[in-house]
């Protein structure tokens, strides 16, 4: 899940699950929002079951959801983007695997990761080791691809780390 400052509920934690398509928003501020602390304050429907990771950034209005374990390729090869303070309004589906240009394989889209400034979201297009994989960089404002990174040495990537965010929080 992800934690962020919600316009209405203050600090919240949002989680998705691998077994259904529901997103749950939990209030986490017992001091300023005692009436909603440690309670589910909102439920939203995602496009499909099979999500592993959510991502957001303090400078973005968006919440990104992957679905690499979805049974249907329409969902496992895409990312869903929600307005993070209005999850119930629905999502926009982005065809990330298609943008990668990789023509074959499961092409599972996984692990949306923001750059340190909250302007780009990097996602892995995962394939088995004998098929091409890619990293697709998407503009968070326009929700359009900015860059496609491919290389024969890019074999089954599964995680992107934003070291800039770690440095900004003082963690090493």
């Amino acid at each position: 899940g992800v934690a962020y400052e919600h316009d209405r509920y203050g600090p919240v934690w949002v989680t998705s699950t691998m077994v259904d398509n529901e997103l749950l928003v939990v209030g986490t501020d017992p001091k300023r929002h005692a009436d909603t602390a440690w309670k589910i304050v909102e439920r939203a429907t995602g496009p499909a079951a099979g999500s592993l990771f959510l991502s957001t950034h303090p400078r973005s209005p968006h919440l990104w959801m992957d679905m690499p374990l979805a049974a249907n390729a329409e969902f496992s090869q895409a990312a869903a983007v929600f307005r993070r303070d209005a999850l119930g309004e629905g999502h926009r589906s982005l065809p990330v695997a298609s943008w990668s240009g990789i023509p074959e394989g499961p092409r599972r889209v996984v692990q949306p990761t923001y750059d340190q400034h909250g302007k780009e979201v990097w996602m892995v297009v995962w394939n088995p080791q004998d098929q091409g994989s890619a990293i697709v960089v998407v503009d968070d404002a326009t929700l359009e691809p900015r860059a496609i990174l491919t290389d024969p040495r890019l074999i089954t990537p599964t995680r992107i780390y934003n070291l800039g965010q770690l440095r900004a929080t003082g963690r090493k």
Side-chain angles (χ1 to χ4, degrees):
V2 294
Y4 62 91
E5 185 77 22
H6 191 283
D7 284 347
R8 180 173 175 194
Y9 304 113
V12 297
W13 176 65
V14 181
T15 189
S16 61
T17 72
M18 293 184 280
V19 296
D20 66 25
N21 62 340
E22 188 172 44
L23 294 164
L24 301 175
V25 182
V26 178
T28 62
D29 185 4
K31 290 184 181 177
R32 293 183 298 137
H33 297 87
D35 57 325
T36 59
W38 315 123
K39 296 177 185 166
I40 296 172
V41 295
E42 186 178 343
R43 294 174 186 266
T45 302
S51 174
L52 292 178
F53 298 99
L54 301 174
S55 187
T56 191
H57 190 280
R59 295 182 182 148
S60 173
H62 296 130
L63 182 140
W64 292 68
M65 175 182 175
D66 70 7
M67 299 154 287
L69 301 179
N72 185 320
E74 173 188 356
F75 303 114
S76 67
Q77 296 179 0
V81 182
F82 297 82
R83 283 191 40 234
R84 71 180 196 184
D85 289 329
L87 297 176
E89 292 180 2
H91 69 280
R92 180 169 166 195
S93 184
L94 304 181
V96 177
S98 293
W99 289 341
S100 76
I102 296 171
E104 62 183 11
R107 302 181 308 160
R108 296 183 184 279
V109 174
V110 66
Q111 192 67 53
T113 303
Y114 273 89
D115 72 329
Q116 71 185 56
H117 305 290
K119 295 181 183 279
E120 297 176 345
V121 178
W122 292 48
M123 286 171 283
V124 169
V125 178
W126 183 94
N127 253 341
Q129 66 184 23
D130 60 342
Q131 296 173 315
S133 291
I135 297 171
V136 176
V137 181
V138 180
D139 185 299
D140 186 61
T142 66
L143 304 182
E144 295 293 328
R146 274 193 176 177
I148 312 299
L149 309 174
T150 59
D151 190 287
R153 297 170 294 178
L154 189 61
I155 300 170
T156 65
T158 54
R159 180 73 165 103
I160 299 170
Y161 291 94
N162 179 341
L163 298 178
Q165 280 185 331
L166 293 178
R167 279 190 226 110
T169 62
R171 291 185 280 172
K172 296 182 181 181

